[in-house]
Structure formats: structure tokens, C-alpha cells
Amino acid sequence: MSEIDRTVEPNDSVCPFCGVGCSLSYAERTGGATGTSGPVNADGEICPKGAAAFDVVTREDRLTRPLVRADDGFVAASWSEALDRIEARIGEIVAEHGPDAVGVFASSNCTNEENYTLQKLARLLGTNNVDNCARLCHSSTVAAMQDRLGAGAMTNTLSDLGEADAFLVTGANPAEQHPVAFRSYLLPAIRNGTTLIHVDPRANDTTAAADIHLPVRPGHDIPLLNGMAAVLVEEGLVDEAFLDRRTEGYAAFRASLADVDVAEQAALAGVDENDLRAAAVAYGEADRAAAITGMGMSQHRCGTDNVHALLNLALLTGNLGRRGTGVNPLRGQNNVQGASDVGALPSVLPGYRDVDDPAARAAIAEEWGIEPPADPGLTEVEMTHAFGGRIRAAVVLGENPAVTEPDGTNIAAQFEELDFLVTVDLFETETTQYADVILPGSAWAEKAGTVTNTDRQVLRMRQLTEPPGEARRDLDIVANLGERLADREFSSDPAAVFEELTRVSPIYAGMTYDDVDDGGQRWPSPAGADSGAEILHRDRFANGDRTAPLVPVDHIPPADDPTGDELVLTTGRIITHFNSGALTRRSETLTRMTSEDALQIHPDDAAARGIDDGGAVRVASDQGAITAPADVTPSVRRGTVFLTFHFAESPVNRVTADALNPTAKIPEYKHTPVTVEPA
Ligand SMILES: Nc1nc2c(c(=O)[nH]1)N[C@H]1C(S)=C(S)[C@@H](COP(=O)(O)OP(=O)(O)OC[C@H]3O[C@@H](n4cnc5c(=O)[nH]c(N)nc54)[C@H](O)[C@@H]3O)O[C@H]1N2
Ligand SMILES: Nc1nc2c(c(=O)[nH]1)N[C@H]1C(S)=C(S)[C@@H](COP(=O)(O)OP(=O)(O)OC[C@H]3O[C@@H](n4cnc5c(=O)[nH]c(N)nc54)[C@H](O)[C@@H]3O)O[C@H]1N2
Ligand code: SF4
Ligand SMILES: [Mo]
């Protein structure tokens, strides 16, 4: 790593991992990261990943020069050679097939300015084929919340959540995935008496703090939530005044519940009826109840409907628009909220204005001089499916889809189909191996700009050190690509790009780059993070309506239920590793804590298959097979097995299927029938 620049004031930046957005800086004493007091982690709290953040920067295997494909592998090239090649090949492909033959993968790991510039590049080139991996996390949540309430983000903020009397945490494991949010905001409230209801097929670190655990059968959240809705009505725990003033359709909704038998719903969801009733009563009796939702809800074919069913509970009980309430999707990477806010999505422009809205396009044209195209582009998984067909060339910034997209067994073949692939990464990864040109980008501590965290706060990243060798700052790279591909000037000054963003994205209007320094900027309340406007849907919903509809949601049985002695594979995360593992797998500190994946399997399921704890098992589906050691544990429910996707040596996505949710196009990562046997 280059010298840390001591002249940067203050000398800290934002953690490169999860969407909580902790501040950290370099500690001379340990040669690693230390937490510093920031807008989210006031006491400088960080988790083990944050503490290892400099491992990403200092790794020996960082890319330091552009690489271009030669006959037998890659050879180093100068920047001008690499950019010439990109300009020539993408130019040819656009000339032959049109701009929609190019697919652009933006990055939830990169700044607002980098993502804003990249989506601008795509649209100036003439395509809306730009997406980021918000698609893979909360696109279904956003679709449901946008539809019902007019905004897809956390309704509340981390700091007011602590005022809740009950938390309903479903399909999320914040103790491991959002550790500082859990420890600093939720846990103190829980210790003070707030009831924690945890809905998860596995008991994990979050469950350890729970009062009620509902070990739902994967893919069966709708019956569980509908059962809870029925109990709320039966027990008179609905908020009549709120229903009158702020909702529509209660009579019909109530009538639809007449057919709902709570015992049947509990049986379908695979949970104890009394526990389900207790959860509904705890949620309904609380003066303030906050729902927190994650991938266990969103990453299903029925992901949007799952969230619709959850929204019904909040509307029935008046738990929206007040402190300590709401429906709160905890966001993934440090800038997955921002990458979407700034328009790195195929159907919306910066600030979530539809590409097919002429007024929105005209407003953008005033700034850019050119109107963006009107037809929505392809989503991430749709783009990889179209490789070699409609999509001939791709630009991938800071993503590793060869590991993280579903049906990984086929993805290799899909990448081979591309005529031309450019990747911008810190390392050679499973995805860069298919590239024609690999550009060496900048790690978090080597870049300046802003990111937007899970509770809509815009936070400032500061450049603490220089990129290694000839690696460049990502914003410079995206601007270089823009100049080559869209043939015009692109600014690589983060302050200037942020200022442009505030002019074109209505939700960032009124913010300034300098004010971001104080952590005081949060949409939709640039006046200040605690201005009173930070809780959404207070008097009106974000779409301007006073009321939101209650809508009956029917259970959608998973398309492929297990047959014979198949088990259901669900996937997820652990505290010490991150997504594809590109950033964490080679970190000495983190691999010392966890060095390999393990298949969680219930002792009864293991015994029936002759599987021993620690023994190698083969996990196979219609898509593919992998092997992993068994972790025989009663913490996972019978009939369900669990693996992470952090270890590319045992890539679980070779086994997952690529069925998509019809509305949001999110893949079904959390319900795959598999056979499991000793390897
Ligand atoms: N340590 C760590 N932190 C991270 C990440 C990481 O990789 N590692 N990634 C970041 C990103 S990108 C994201 S999107 C977030 C995700 O954060 P989470 O949403 O917490 O992530 P997951 O572990 O995928 O899923 C949460 C839980 O859903 C449960 N689950 C599985 N199937 C079902 C189901 O059908 N119903 C219900 N109710 N639950 C189910 C799983 O057992 C799991 O415990 O984390 C972010 N933070
Ligand atoms: N089975 C299963 N699969 C899943 C999920 C699941 O729960 N189960 N979750 C899905 C979810 S929610 C997500 S978000 C995706 C994540 O999918 P990805 O975004 O593909 O995963 P990451 O490992 O975060 O990949 C980030 C890549 O960017 C690089 N990178 C990191 N920071 C920077 C930077 O600042 N600049 C540049 N240029 N490069 C950088 C890293 O080296 C890495 O190669 O995975 C999805 N896949
Ligand atoms: S909680 Fe998230 S943002 Fe905070 S240190 Fe841990 S990984 Fe980084
Ligand atoms: Mo994510």
C-alpha cells in the first residue's frame, strides 16, 4: 500500500462492506483499520470485516496494470492500448448490432459518482441496459414498497428503530450481516425490553437474542404472515383510526381473511401455531412495532408477494409513519442504496423517474444535451441470459457475477458467448477470467466521493492513499471509458459529479457535497438527518397519496417442491465473509476465523443419509453439484440445508436455479430442491 496521506482531514472513510456505513480510519499501531466516530457508529464501533478493511487494500494480488487477452492468457498493456482496444471493439459491436447489444453492470460497491457516471455513459451510448446488484438483493422488496407506498427504501432510520416495543425480523440475520446496526441500535432496545420475533429457518446469532423464533419452512412466509394478519383481526389488535385515515380496502381484506385458518397456515409454514399466535399478539399489542426484512423474504419467486404480505401487517396495525415502526429492508453493500438512487437501473433514471416518462427524459436532456432512450433495458440476470444473443459486449464494474448469479454451472458458458468483455476490479476473479480487457481499479481507501447507506444517509468517502502501480481511481476509469465510448467530456471530480447529481435526481435536490461531510444529508430531508422529515410516509405516503391499499396475498407454492428424499437448500451469509468472497477470502484475519464453507444439516437428516459431522457431502440439483463438509446441527430446521456463497471453491450457485421473480426479476436463491449424500 502507498503511504497513508496524513493531510486528509478528517482522516477517515466509509467501510467497504455492508450498508450500515461505519466510519473507519488507518491505525498506525496495528497497521489495520480502526473505527472512528461517524454518523452511524458514533462510538467508533466496527465489526470483524470492518476491522479487516485494509486487508483489501494491501493484498499482494492487487491488479496493478491493465491486462488484455492474448492467445494464451493475459498480457500487461498500457492504459492507452487497453482503452484503444475497448473503443475499437465496442465501437464495432455498436455499429453492427446497435447500442442495446451492450450490457453495463454497475457496482453497489462503488460510489454514487462512479455509478452516476457509468449509467450516464450507458444512456449516452444509447442503451438502458444498466443494472446493479440491488437486483439480486432487494429489487422485489423495492417493487412491492414502491407499488404500495411510493418509496422502496427503509421507511425509518436506524436511530429511531430503537424506540420500537417489538421487532419483527424476517428473512434477515442482522447480528451477522449488519452487525453494528444490530449491536448499537437493536440490541440495546432488546435488552431494555423490546420483544424480538425472528422468522428464519435457521437459528443464528440474531435468534440468540429473540423472544420468539418462527423457524419458517423456506418459501412459506406468506402463510405465516397471512396467519399473523388473521390473528391481528381475530384479537382486535388492528388500529381502526389508522385504517380509516390511511388505508383503503380494509373491508375486502378482512373478508379475505375469513377463509384463513390460522392452524392451517401455521402447518403450511411449518411453525407452531401457538408461537405464530404469540408473535402476532406481540407485534399487534406493541405501541410501536418495526419490521425488518432481508434476503429470506426477497430472494424468492414470490419475493414481491412476501413483502406485500408484510406490508399488510404494518398497515393493519398503524405501524408506518412514526418513530420506531415501519417496514425496513436492511440494504446490502455500502452503496447499494445509492447505486439505485443515482439511476444505475434499467427502467429508471436518477431519482427513480421512469425511463418511459417523457418529462423525466426531457429533464435529463436539459443537463446532458441528449435524451436517454425510452425503452427499459435488461436486468442483470436477463443480460447474462442474453450473452451471445441480444448482448454481444459487457462492461462489468466491481461485480463478480460468475460466482454470484444463479445457475453458475451455465454461467461460464454464457460468458464464453460474449464477443467482448471489459471488467474493472481490484483482483483477478472468477469473472475477470472471461474478460478481453481487465482494468485495475481502486479500493475503498483509494477513492473519494459519496455513498448512501441503508437508512438513506449520504456519507463521504475520502481518499486516504494512492492506488497501487498503474491502477486508477474508478471515477477516472469510468470517465476514461465515457470519453472513449460516448465521445464527450466526463468529469472525474467527485464534487462536480455530485453537484450534477443533485440537479438531475429529485431525491438528492438541495444536498451539497460539503454538507455531506457532517453526515447531515439524508433523503428526503437534506435539511438535516434529524429534521423531522427523515421518517417516510408521516402524513402522506411518498407517492403523495394519503392512503395505501390493503391487498389480499395468496400463498404461491414454490414451483419445484422437494420430492422423494430431496431436501430444500437455502443460502445466505456469515459474519466473517462477504458475498463472492473476492474481498474476504484471502484476508488473513478473516480466513483465520472461517476458512471454508460447511453445509448446515439437521442431525435427523444427516443420520438418515449416513452423514457425519465434518464429513464431505455432495449437494446436487438439476443444475449442478458441489461438495462441502457437513455441519450437523439442530439449528437448521429438518428438511432444510444451508450453505453460504462466499467460497468460490464450493460455489453454491452451481446448484441454485435461475428462475426469476416475474415482477422484479430477482432470482430464487433461497429454495432449491437438492439431494445430499456422503461424497
Ligand atoms: N457478513 C456479511 N454481511 C453482509 C453481506 C455478506 O456477504 N456478509 N452481504 C451484504 C449484502 S449484499 C446483503 S444483500 C445483506 C443481506 O443480509 P441478510 O438478508 O441478513 O442475508 P442472508 O444471510 O442472505 O439471509 C438472511 C436469512 O434468511 C434466512 N432464510 C432463508 N430462506 C428463508 C425463507 O424462505 N424465509 C425466511 N423468512 N428466511 C429465510 C437465512 O437462513 C438467513 O439467515 O447483507 C450484507 N451484509
Ligand atoms: N446463492 C446466493 N447467491 C447470491 C446471494 C445469496 O443470498 N445467495 N445474494 C445475492 C446478493 S444480495 C448480492 S448483492 C450479490 C453480490 O454479488 P457481487 O456484487 O457480484 O459480489 P461481490 O463479491 O460483492 O463482488 C464485488 C466485486 O467487486 C470488486 N470490488 C469491490 N470493491 C470494489 C471497488 O471499489 N472498485 C472496483 N473496481 N471493484 C471492487 C470485488 O473485488 C469483487 O470482484 O450476490 C447475490 N448472490
Ligand atoms: S457493520 Fe457493516 S459497515 Fe460496519 S464495520 Fe461491519 S461491515 Fe463495515
Ligand atoms: Mo446484496
Side-chain angles (χ1 to χ4, degrees), residues 18 49 137 170-173 176-178 199-202 204 216 218-219 221 294-296 300 332-333 570-575 577-579 642 646 670:
C18 87
K49 281 185 306 309
C137 337
T170 172
N173 175 13
E176 298 191 58
Q177 269 79 259
H178 299 88
V199 186
D200 195 307
R202 303 177 307 129
N204 47 45
V216 66
D221 288 274
M295 302 299 97
H300 286 292
Q333 298 93 336
T570 193
T571 62
R573 298 159 163 82
I574 50 174
I575 188 165
H577 286 269
F578 197 73
N579 293 350
F642 174 88
H646 303 315
K670 294 224 177 343

Side-chain angles (χ1 to χ4, degrees), residues 87-217:
E87 183 178 348
R89 283 300 284 130
I90 294 189
E92 281 164 16
I93 289 166
V94 170
E96 192 178 340
H97 302 281
D100 283 331
V102 182
V104 177
F105 293 66
S107 176
S108 323
N109 299 282
C110 285
T111 64
N112 285 323
E113 295 72 22
E114 290 152 3
N115 281 292
Y116 174 77
T117 307
L118 188 61
Q119 61 82 37
K120 180 176 174 182
L121 179 168
R123 290 177 163 133
L124 291 178
L125 190 65
T127 182
N128 280 319
N129 289 339
V130 55
D131 202 4
N132 78 89
C133 68
R135 180 70 46 204
L136 310 179
C137 337
H138 269 305
S139 59
S140 48
T141 317
V142 172
M145 292 179 70
Q146 188 93 37
D147 178 31
R148 298 279 283 285
L149 315 176
M154 269 179 76
T155 57
N156 285 58
T157 71
L158 292 175
S159 53
D160 77 80
L161 283 184
E163 294 173 28
D165 304 300
F167 293 126
L168 170 59
V169 177
T170 172
N173 175 13
E176 298 191 58
Q177 269 79 259
H178 299 88
V180 169
F182 186 76
R183 262 163 258 272
S184 303
Y185 295 92
L186 304 187
L187 204 52
I190 294 164
R191 294 208 168 116
N192 241 338
T194 300
T195 305
L196 172 62
I197 305 156
H198 192 213
V199 186
D200 195 307
R202 303 177 307 129
N204 47 45
D205 285 1
T206 302
T207 327
D211 299 282
I212 303 171
H213 177 212
L214 300 173
V216 66
R217 187 193 309 181

Side-chain angles (χ1 to χ4, degrees), residues 255-498:
S256 79
L257 290 178
D259 301 334
V260 169
D261 178 290
V262 178
E264 264 173 31
Q265 302 302 306
L268 195 52
V271 301
D272 183 89
E273 182 192 345
N274 291 328
D275 291 346
L276 184 153
R277 287 183 177 274
V281 169
Y283 180 84
E285 281 185 345
D287 179 29
R288 292 160 193 273
I292 290 168
T293 179
M295 302 299 97
M297 289 273 286
S298 64
Q299 291 175 332
H300 286 292
R301 261 170 287 198
C302 60
T304 26
D305 293 277
N306 282 344
V307 176
H308 278 302
L310 181 63
L311 288 166
N312 284 338
L313 299 191
L315 287 167
L316 278 176
T317 53
N319 277 307
L320 277 168
R322 289 184 295 141
R323 296 176 70 81
T325 69
V327 175
N328 297 284
L330 291 177
R331 302 309 303 254
Q333 298 93 336
N334 72 348
N335 199 34
V336 60
Q337 181 66 54
S340 305
D341 292 349
V342 306
L345 294 171
S347 55
V348 291
L349 298 167
Y352 303 101
R353 297 163 94 187
D354 292 333
V355 291
D356 53 14
D357 171 3
R361 288 200 309 280
I364 288 278
E366 268 187 37
E367 183 69 42
W368 295 356
I370 295 182
E371 259 204 20
D375 293 331
L378 297 179
T379 62
E380 282 214 344
V381 184
E382 288 175 321
M383 287 198 272
T384 33
H385 286 181
F387 281 179
R390 283 166 69 186
I391 302 282
R392 318 294 312 188
V395 177
V396 178
L397 170 70
E399 274 201 5
N400 194 2
V403 178
T404 53
E405 283 202 5
D407 193 12
T409 305
N410 284 322
I411 229 171
Q414 285 161 348
F415 271 100
E416 304 275 5
E417 294 286 315
L418 273 180
D419 295 344
F420 193 70
L421 173 65
V422 182
T423 58
V424 187
D425 209 295
L426 312 177
F427 310 106
E428 285 194 62
T429 67
E430 295 71 17
T431 303
T432 65
Q433 65 174 307
Y434 301 107
D436 294 283
V437 179
I438 306 175
L439 299 175
S442 49
W444 64 279
E446 298 154 2
K447 54 169 78 178
T450 64
V451 290
T452 306
N453 83 339
T454 188
D455 69 352
R456 297 174 266 113
Q457 287 192 74
V458 185
L459 307 169
R460 182 78 167 264
M461 308 226 24
R462 295 188 189 79
Q463 185 173 348
L464 309 179
T465 183
E466 290 297 324
E470 290 172 29
R472 287 188 180 170
R473 294 185 320 151
D474 289 328
L475 189 54
D476 289 324
I477 299 175
V478 179
N480 292 154
L481 291 173
E483 279 150 17
R484 296 303 193 106
L485 299 177
D487 194 23
R488 59 188 274 173
E489 289 271 312
F490 279 80
S491 171
S492 57
D493 169 18
V497 177
F498 186 81

Side-chain angles (χ1 to χ4, degrees), residues 27-42:
E28 202 79 57
R29 198 173 52 79
T30 58
T34 184
T36 49
S37 172
V40 184
N41 57 335

Side-chain angles (χ1 to χ4, degrees), residues 32-110:
T34 184
T36 49
S37 172
V40 184
N41 57 335
D43 296 325
E45 315 89 293
I46 49 173
C47 78
K49 281 185 306 309
F54 275 97
D55 293 11
V56 175
V57 185
T58 56
R59 264 166 55 180
E60 295 284 317
D61 57 343
R62 284 287 301 274
L63 290 165
T64 57
R65 299 190 62 182
L67 300 175
V68 296
R69 182 169 291 286
D71 290 340
D72 49 352
F74 291 101
V75 293
S78 69
W79 275 95
S80 60
E81 279 166 347
L83 292 169
D84 285 349
R85 197 181 283 211
I86 295 168
E87 183 178 348
R89 283 300 284 130
I90 294 189
E92 281 164 16
I93 289 166
V94 170
E96 192 178 340
H97 302 281
D100 283 331
V102 182
V104 177
F105 293 66
S107 176
S108 323
N109 299 282
C110 285

